[in-house]
Amino acid sequence: MFLSHTTPDQALQVAASVAGACRLNERWHSEFQPYFLSLIFRELLDVNIDFNTINAIDVDQAQALFPGDVQRRELIELLVLTEMMLNPIPEELEHSLEHWAQQLNVHDRALILARDVAGQARAQAQSDFYRLFWMGEEDREQQGFEEQLKQHGPQAWTFTVEENPDLAAQWRSLAQLPEGTLGAAVWNHYQSHGFKTPGELGGANAALAHHDWLHVLGNYDVTVIGEVENAAFGAASSNKPGATLWFLGVMAMYEGGLFDSVVTGSHPHQISAPGMAERVAHALRRGRQCQQDLLAIDYFAVADQPLIKLQQSWGIKG
């Protein structure tokens, strides 16, 4: 995830690299790009950077400064993030990002999404996003999923399109847990929103339902901005393949409006609305502070434990 291998002392060098790749002809393509980047650096590294005035460096300088594969990948992910804020994506920015990725020898799944949205291939972007981010990987681990995808289309990525009695029974068992436990809180979350039980036709499938545990742990609403906060929170806590792409994808859907969510469609300019960027950046900070990878848990194994105790032991702060 962004800046996880960057020290505060290196922050200026990373920021200068982002400016070199994305502040083209000494200008950003939107006021929101430098503003949101500054929030991320402040929340994740406790440094204040003015992306409008910082001296940029070129890719050759960045090569020398960042010889490691992980730092280079995280840098490219930041560059992709700047693209996800725009619609349409300027051709010069697309070419700059591709040049930096090539010169730094980075071949990341985020670049597949970047190519799709830059080419305005909305259907392909949606398909690649769900295929490559962590929920899609969990979907593809389920027996018979590829056939469901052929028969039912994109809805199979997120919804129960064929009844799954075992999954439904597992989720209904949460109703028997005592109040105050994580499982009871998640069950109440489903009931209070009128959601169908996962495993029931039209309810969430196992992969989508996985992310609802994070809604409860982080206390994030089931709204557009709540979904972005939840993705920021979960992705920043995790090293799981496809975690960062989760956040990049929701930025593309809910800021750039570059492709549609299977669940909610496309809602552009949500993060740049007043006060929303600060909430999302704070969610990134909460995820970074977490001492547990929130995407790598069998939550049913801990469903009977007190919610507050888990939040405290995992370092989930308010």
Side-chain angles (χ1 to χ4, degrees):
M1 188 58 178
F2 313 128
L3 307 176
S4 63
H5 290 76
T6 300
T7 66
D9 290 340
Q10 296 171 318
L12 284 175
Q13 296 170 337
V14 175
S17 299
V18 175
C22 302
R23 194 182 69 197
L24 303 177
N25 298 316
E26 288 303 312
R27 69 176 183 88
W28 295 91
H29 290 88
S30 76
E31 293 181 359
F32 184 60
Q33 288 174 304
Y35 179 71
F36 191 54
L37 287 166
S38 69
L39 284 178
I40 291 175
F41 275 70
R42 188 181 72 196
E43 290 288 349
L44 297 184
L45 294 175
D46 292 314
V47 296
N48 291 308
I49 295 175
D50 186 340
F51 278 84
N52 286 306
T53 61
I54 188 172
N55 291 325
I57 63 176
D58 61 29
V59 69
D60 292 331
Q61 293 170 294
Q63 278 183 306
L65 289 170
F66 308 114
D69 292 341
V70 175
Q71 264 194 319
R72 289 185 177 193
R73 174 176 52 78
E74 291 183 352
L75 173 58
I76 293 300
E77 288 170 344
L78 277 170
L79 305 190
V80 173
L81 175 64
T82 66
E83 280 195 314
M84 299 301 101
M85 304 179 204
L86 302 174
N87 188 1
I89 295 170
E91 187 174 338
E92 60 178 350
L93 181 58
E94 176 193 2
H95 291 164
S96 179
L97 190 151
E98 290 178 350
H99 174 67
W100 276 66
Q102 183 180 40
Q103 293 300 109
L104 295 178
N105 196 30
V106 174
H107 308 280
D108 186 71
R109 62 184 71 197
L111 292 168
I112 297 175
L113 184 64
R115 283 194 294 271
D116 290 341
V117 296
Q120 299 184 357
R122 295 179 70 92
Q124 188 62 50
Q126 183 190 67
S127 176
D128 284 336
F129 170 64
Y130 283 99
R131 176 174 62 88
L132 295 171
F133 93 120
W134 68 274
M135 280 191 208
E137 294 204 346
E138 289 191 0
D139 278 327
R140 288 183 288 132
E141 291 171 359
Q142 301 300 312
Q143 186 175 3
F145 173 75
E146 295 297 338
E147 186 60 34
Q148 290 181 12
L149 188 61
K150 289 179 183 178
Q151 291 187 15
H152 302 281
Q155 296 286 306
W157 289 113
T158 54
F159 293 109
T160 299
V161 293
E162 296 178 7
E163 290 189 353
N164 187 334
D166 291 339
L167 180 64
Q170 186 181 38
W171 275 84
R172 291 193 192 101
S173 70
L174 298 178
Q176 310 305 316
L177 293 174
E179 284 296 315
T181 61
L182 171 61
V186 171
W187 180 254
N188 291 338
H189 169 82
Y190 267 76
Q191 303 316 300
S192 65
H193 288 94
F195 294 157
K196 290 185 177 181
T197 303
E200 292 181 354
L201 199 63
N205 65 11
L208 180 62
H210 187 166
H211 99 293
D212 284 314
W213 299 88
L214 278 70
H215 271 288
V216 172
L217 285 163
N219 194 28
Y220 291 118
D221 295 336
V222 185
T223 59
V224 168
I225 198 63
E227 293 297 342
V228 181
E229 288 177 299
N230 199 37
F233 174 60
S237 80
S238 183
N239 291 315
K240 192 169 183 177
T244 302
L245 192 62
W246 183 21
F247 180 64
L248 292 172
V250 297
M251 286 293 298
M253 291 185 285
Y254 300 135
E255 181 54 32
L258 292 159
F259 65 94
D260 295 339
S261 161
V262 170
V263 180
T264 65
S266 173
H267 301 272
H269 310 306
Q270 298 297 307
I271 297 95
S272 55
M276 297 299 102
E278 290 80 2
R279 287 173 55 174
V280 174
H282 182 63
L284 286 169
R285 184 184 184 95
R286 290 183 75 205
R288 178 64 55 82
Q289 291 172 334
C290 190
Q291 298 162 17
Q292 170 66 51
D293 186 328
L294 297 175
L295 304 185
I297 300 173
D298 175 4
Y299 282 105
F300 284 97
V302 296
D304 60 347
Q305 297 186 30
L307 171 59
I308 293 177
K309 180 181 177 181
L310 288 173
Q311 288 170 323
Q312 291 173 341
S313 64
W314 292 345
I316 299 174
K317 301 179 181 180

